[in-house]
Amino acid sequence: MIPIIGHGIKTMSIGFLTREEDALVWRGPILHKVLRQFVKDVNWGHLDWLVVDLPPGTGDVQLSLAQLVKASGALMVTTPQQIAFRDVRRAVTMFSKVNVPILGLVENMSYFICPHCHEKTEIFSGSHPDKREISEGFSIETLARIPIEPSIAQSGEKGVPIVFSEPESETSKKFMELAELLKKKLGE
Ligand SMILES: [Zn+2]
């Protein structure tokens, strides 16, 4: 399979291969086969990094992937609510069991930036500490807090990443900082 290239990034997605109206209820063996194809049968060529966006949770996809590739690390993405952090806790425990290093946490929709006065509003429970406890003596570091700005939704609808359409926006800066941070962490 030949990956689709957009903004200099090669991509492959289950979404490219299924009809929009088809619900994805693939489990177990089929899912494993598809993941295997995505890793081994896509003509990736030379890659700097392979980023795999996984569905939330601690299910078959996560375990299959851990068996297929030796991942350099797992980055947790969550929203600020306490209840969402419970899922992070579970995922961290699962990835640790299959020996995938945890890179850190990204807090998405961390706060809202008003397009009129640029004031920041914390919509959810408010900011959390930079280190959050997973289990006793084991915590996860927050690497980035991504705001929610109307422009990020607009750029998504247009299919142009915000780092291209509005590189000077706060969101873009946060994404670039996160990328640099991850590069350093993985380089180590
Ligand atoms: Zn305002």
Side-chain angles (χ1 to χ4, degrees):
M1 288 184 281
I2 298 164
I4 292 175
I5 302 176
H7 307 282
I9 297 170
K10 295 173 188 167
T11 58
M12 180 49 75
S13 167
I14 288 182
F16 299 164
L17 308 172
T18 49
R19 287 175 305 180
E20 262 178 53
E21 63 271 26
D22 289 343
L24 285 174
V25 284
W26 301 348
R27 302 288 295 177
I30 295 178
L31 206 71
H32 187 79
K33 217 177 132 190
V34 171
L35 264 180
R36 197 189 166 79
Q37 278 186 306
F38 278 8
V39 175
K40 315 263 181 200
D41 300 341
V42 171
N43 187 10
W44 290 114
H46 170 80
L47 293 177
D48 296 321
W49 308 99
L50 177 66
V51 181
V52 187
D53 180 23
L54 297 176
T58 50
D60 296 337
V61 188
Q62 284 78 1
L63 287 173
S64 279
L65 193 79
Q67 286 163 16
L68 277 171
V69 292
K70 202 192 163 306
S72 313
L75 180 66
M76 300 292 144
V77 182
T78 186
T79 48
Q81 303 98 311
Q82 285 296 350
I83 195 148
F85 192 68
R86 277 197 225 160
D87 295 334
V88 170
R89 205 171 260 143
R90 282 194 203 104
V92 167
T93 308
M94 187 219 70
F95 278 117
S96 303
K97 271 185 194 150
V98 290
N99 299 316
V100 175
I102 305 298
L103 299 170
L105 183 77
V106 175
E107 197 176 271
N108 202 12
M109 302 186 191
S110 205
Y111 50 91
F112 171 73
I113 303 173
C114 175
H116 306 290
C117 63
H118 303 287
E119 197 182 296
K120 288 181 185 180
T121 308
E122 296 198 339
I123 295 172
F124 298 105
S125 47
S127 66
H128 297 289
D130 288 341
K131 271 188 189 289
R132 295 175 73 180
E133 197 172 78
I134 295 291
S135 56
E136 218 180 295
F138 181 46
S139 55
I140 187 166
E141 187 188 351
T142 301
L143 302 179
R145 291 191 167 87
I146 309 290
I148 177 158
E149 282 187 278
S151 54
I152 195 170
Q154 286 153 15
S155 69
E157 291 292 332
K158 278 186 253 160
V160 181
I162 195 166
V163 289
F164 285 94
S165 61
E166 288 181 52
E168 291 308 314
S169 66
E170 176 149 345
T171 303
S172 293
K173 284 178 189 158
K174 295 278 179 187
F175 275 131
M176 296 312 282
E177 280 168 24
L178 173 64
E180 286 299 326
L181 206 61
L182 286 174
K183 217 165 91 177
K184 254 191 227 143
K185 268 187 173 277
L186 290 164
E188 285 162 9

